[in-house]
Amino acid sequence: MQNSTSSPVGQPLAATGVAGGSGAMFDGIAARYDLMNRLMTFGIDQRWRRRTVDALQAAPGARILDLATGTGDLALMVADRIPQCTVVGLDPSAGMLAVGREKVAARGLSGRVELVQGDACQLPFADQSFDGITMGYGIRNVVDRPRALAEMARVLKPGARVAILETSEPRGLLGLGAKLHMRVVVPLLGGLLSGAPREYRYLQRSTAAFPSPEDFAKLIESSGLKMQELITLLAGASCIHVASPLSRLGLASAK
Ligand SMILES: C[S@@+](CC[C@H](N)C(=O)[O-])C[C@H]1O[C@@H](n2cnc3c(N)ncnc32)[C@H](O)[C@@H]1O
């Protein structure tokens, strides 16, 4: 079970002994990433992306940033669920983005969804330029998480929300099956079917090394954001952390 001793708040992934997590590593699994997700989660992953988008409570026509967009599943979900919105998806992996761009074009959404290469720690966007941010299964790969969270706070408009979907170690009796699935089935099946065992072992280890939901919430609150909601999914197998920029909450409510 993850705790704050084995993975202190804000501790970089590299310091936990879990290496990787760069865009380059994801290039290796890009071609089969979507198929593997559907197989290994029995399709539940898409339901959780939907809940992540809905947690933004964004208005029609909003401008949304999807960080660690990968092959664009969450960016496309945003476009599906928020009428007339525009989406910028950002990711360092050229391979994942290439798959994503094909999907955007196939859906005829090139006018509303743009995928760009970049790093969550150094966003190439102006202050207060987005009405919402999503990030799905991405933050655990970011080495300097406090910096990425501070960047989110910077580019969000006052009162806007960020919704961060991330896997965690499931808890309790109910979570036992989910834990076995994540610790044994995912690395084994992922390695076999994708032909990239190292990458799927990394996915499992990076989940185990990620802070508990409570510790991650503390990190969020020390990075210029205020927690609004913590949504726990399937006995804690995944969580959605919802937050808003801290310094502007007062300003927004004073208006
Ligand atoms: C597990 S995939 C998630 C993709 C997608 N968001 C989804 O819901 O399926 C993790 C992604 O994080 C990206 N990533 C790794 N380091 C990053 C960073 N510093 N900034 C932004 N994205 C990063 C990887 O390239 C990869 O595409």
Side-chain angles (χ1 to χ4, degrees), residues 2 7 13 18 21 25-26 33 37 41 44-53 55 66-70 74 91 120 133-143 145 148-149 152 162-171 178 182 186 202-217 219-220 227 229-243:
Q2 189 53 54
S7 181
L13 204 55
V18 181
M25 194 204 75
F26 281 89
Y33 177 79
N37 266 355
T41 69
I44 296 174
D45 59 319
Q46 283 296 73
R47 202 182 311 161
W48 292 348
R49 287 189 185 85
R50 207 172 301 137
R51 285 200 67 178
T52 305
V53 176
D66 180 42
L67 291 174
T69 197
L74 192 45
D91 199 286
I133 298 177
T134 50
M135 188 171 200
Y137 307 115
I139 192 70
R140 71 168 182 262
N141 304 296
V142 175
V143 175
R145 292 181 199 131
L149 292 165
M152 294 179 207
V162 51
I164 302 173
L165 170 66
E166 192 50 88
T167 46
S168 59
E169 289 272 90
R171 292 175 175 175
M182 277 173 50
V186 167
Y202 161 78
L203 287 183
Q204 189 277 321
R205 286 205 303 265
S206 62
T207 298
F210 193 70
S212 68
E214 294 76 18
D215 280 348
F216 185 56
L219 179 63
I220 285 177
M227 279 295 293
E229 208 180 339
L230 174 60
I231 302 168
T232 303
L233 306 159
L234 194 63
S238 279
C239 286
I240 305 170
H241 286 78
V242 186

Side-chain angles (χ1 to χ4, degrees), residues 73-208:
D73 271 347
L74 192 45
L76 288 168
M77 188 69 79
V78 170
D80 280 344
R81 294 192 73 76
I82 306 175
Q84 294 106 43
C85 72
T86 53
V87 193
V88 180
L90 177 138
D91 199 286
S93 164
M96 296 285 272
L97 289 173
V99 175
R101 287 187 184 118
E102 278 178 23
K103 286 157 62 179
V104 171
R107 295 270 310 272
L109 283 169
S110 303
R112 287 176 59 207
V113 182
E114 182 192 8
L115 302 187
V116 301
Q117 196 165 18
D119 184 339
C121 295
Q122 231 175 335
L123 296 178
F125 307 113
D127 296 358
Q128 302 186 21
S129 52
F130 287 94
D131 301 297
I133 298 177
T134 50
M135 188 171 200
Y137 307 115
I139 192 70
R140 71 168 182 262
N141 304 296
V142 175
V143 175
D144 191 348
R145 292 181 199 131
R147 179 145 179 217
L149 292 165
E151 277 291 84
M152 294 179 207
R154 180 182 68 77
V155 303
L156 272 179
K157 291 182 187 172
R161 288 179 153 209
V162 51
I164 302 173
L165 170 66
E166 192 50 88
T167 46
S168 59
E169 289 272 90
R171 292 175 175 175
L173 211 57
L174 263 178
L176 206 64
K179 194 183 280 188
L180 261 178
H181 179 75
M182 277 173 50
R183 289 197 172 182
V184 181
V185 181
V186 167
L188 209 73
L189 199 71
L192 278 176
L193 296 183
S194 71
R198 191 179 64 91
E199 282 77 0
Y200 276 88
R201 272 199 307 274
Y202 161 78
L203 287 183
Q204 189 277 321
R205 286 205 303 265
S206 62
T207 298

